[in-house]
Amino acid sequence: MRRLPAGLAAGALLLAATACGSSGDDSSSGSTSSGGTTTVKVGLIPIVDVAPLFLGQKKGFYKKQGLKLSVSFAAGGAAIVPAVASGQNQFGFSNVFSLMVAQSNGVALKAISNGNASTGVAGKDFAATLVKKDSPIKTAKDLEGKKVAVNTLKNIAELSVRESVKKAGGDPDKLKLVEMPFDQMPAALDKGQVDAALAVEPALTTIKQQGGREIAASFVDVAPDMTVGMYFTSQQYAQKNPAVVKKFQQATAESLAYANAHPDEAREIVATYTKVPASLLAEITLPKWPAEANRASIETQAKLGEEFGFFKKSPDVDALLP
């Protein structure tokens, strides 16, 4: 698998220069100030999925629990997992499939809160596999032998593209997968550097505004109402800091509920951690932010992961989930 140059630009989607919170030298257990506030480092992806966390911070839900969030960004959950496992970050956001892959490799992780879910509606989901307007590719089967961008390899994006190709009657092993951050996908696709991309919002709408066409609702192809992302920590941190974990869970639950009830505010908050123009924010499709994960959809992902050979050993869903 080759990696495209990091310099590929998608200006409208570049990260905001500053992230919320401070970046001090917190220990793996978080640092507590004289005021009783615990600063925790959280690894996130700069996509619409994590809007509730930023919204919850703005509304004071984390502050109410005595927490201050120090946020860092990565291209995908597969990159966030090592930072949490090593104690560099106390919490992280990842697609649930990457958590299963990590667990199968012996990394002791614990999902502690739901993150987001697919809308379950093809053509109206926050994620899709897309091609250029004039591409000869018509269905996912046509992706055989083509360069397809996913944000990180061995994650839910790769799993979902593979399932779309299989469902369309193609051979998923013939894909030429290219690892690329979501914010670089619109430019890469427009310039013909990849043939297709599995993009999530806001990159998805950017591609459509460039004339791109959706050829597969890949998350929907995996499972209806699929749980996509979850917030997690290491087993070690959870065991040593149960009070901090509970506070994070409570604040995040309140944040998810608020985002679901206030979609306009959820859209607006995306502009605080990405440079997305207002015209784009108005068009993006929001994911669902349910209180609980859809276990059946996670078990489906585990089954597909086995089928596609992603795991060294079968993941333990019971041990992973809250």
Side-chain angles (χ1 to χ4, degrees):
M1 306 295 182
R2 72 179 183 88
R3 190 188 289 266
L4 288 186
L8 286 172
L13 299 176
L14 289 176
L15 304 185
T18 58
C20 68
S22 61
S23 61
D25 55 352
D26 309 334
S27 70
S28 61
S29 61
S31 62
T32 304
S33 71
S34 58
T37 299
T38 300
T39 299
V40 290
K41 294 182 178 180
V42 186
L44 301 176
I45 313 166
I47 51 180
V48 69
D49 307 42
V50 298
L53 186 141
F54 289 94
L55 194 54
Q57 187 177 40
K58 179 182 177 181
K59 293 297 178 180
F61 300 153
Y62 291 91
K63 183 178 181 180
K64 182 173 64 176
Q65 295 292 338
L67 297 179
K68 181 178 181 181
L69 307 184
S70 173
V71 171
S72 60
F73 288 119
I80 295 171
V81 164
V84 173
S86 67
Q88 179 182 337
N89 290 342
Q90 285 75 60
F91 301 104
F93 175 87
S94 172
N95 67 87
V96 69
F97 186 72
S98 285
L99 298 182
M100 287 190 279
V101 172
Q103 186 196 56
S104 78
N105 288 325
V107 182
L109 301 174
K110 185 68 177 178
I112 57 172
S113 171
N114 199 31
N116 70 311
S118 164
T119 66
V121 182
K124 295 181 180 180
D125 197 17
F126 77 101
T129 300
L130 306 104
V131 298
K132 288 182 68 173
K133 181 178 180 180
D134 58 356
S135 172
I137 298 170
K138 303 300 181 184
T139 71
K141 185 180 187 302
D142 299 332
L143 294 176
E144 290 182 348
K146 302 297 192 296
K147 295 177 184 176
V148 182
V150 294
N151 65 317
T152 53
L153 299 172
K154 305 299 181 185
N155 77 340
I156 201 167
E158 179 177 344
L159 181 82
S160 300
V161 169
R162 282 176 170 270
E163 180 63 3
S164 288
V165 172
K166 187 187 80 171
K167 280 194 167 182
D171 183 352
D173 289 333
K174 292 183 179 180
L175 292 171
K176 295 180 180 178
L177 295 165
V178 179
E179 193 173 57
M180 178 185 302
F182 288 120
D183 62 356
Q184 294 180 8
M185 291 180 184
L189 190 60
D190 190 53
K191 294 176 181 178
Q193 291 165 322
V194 293
D195 301 299
L198 190 153
V200 302
E201 295 289 15
L204 185 153
T205 294
T206 299
I207 292 171
K208 287 185 174 180
Q209 288 185 344
Q210 293 173 174
R213 291 185 289 107
E214 178 176 330
I215 61 165
S218 293
F219 285 180
V220 180
D221 283 342
V222 172
D225 303 321
M226 180 175 71
T227 291
V228 178
M230 297 189 76
Y231 294 94
F232 70 101
T233 188
S234 67
Q235 289 276 10
Q236 182 180 22
Y237 186 83
Q239 291 167 4
K240 290 185 176 181
N241 303 276
V244 177
V245 171
K246 185 175 181 180
K247 290 176 181 178
F248 187 88
Q249 288 173 318
Q250 291 174 336
T252 301
E254 190 171 4
S255 300
L256 293 172
Y258 190 89
N260 263 330
H262 301 83
D264 290 341
E265 290 184 50
R267 290 176 190 278
E268 291 172 4
I269 203 72
V270 175
T272 67
Y273 60 95
T274 68
K275 289 185 177 178
V276 181
S279 59
L280 185 62
L281 283 175
E283 299 296 325
I284 63 174
T285 298
L286 298 176
K288 290 181 179 179
W289 290 298
E292 302 293 336
N294 182 334
R295 184 185 176 95
S297 74
I298 294 172
E299 290 175 344
T300 296
Q301 292 177 53
K303 181 179 178 180
L304 289 175
E306 296 271 13
E307 179 182 334
F308 294 140
F310 280 81
F311 304 131
K312 288 187 176 179
K313 64 177 183 178
S314 298
D316 185 341
V317 175
D318 288 333
L320 179 64
L321 296 183

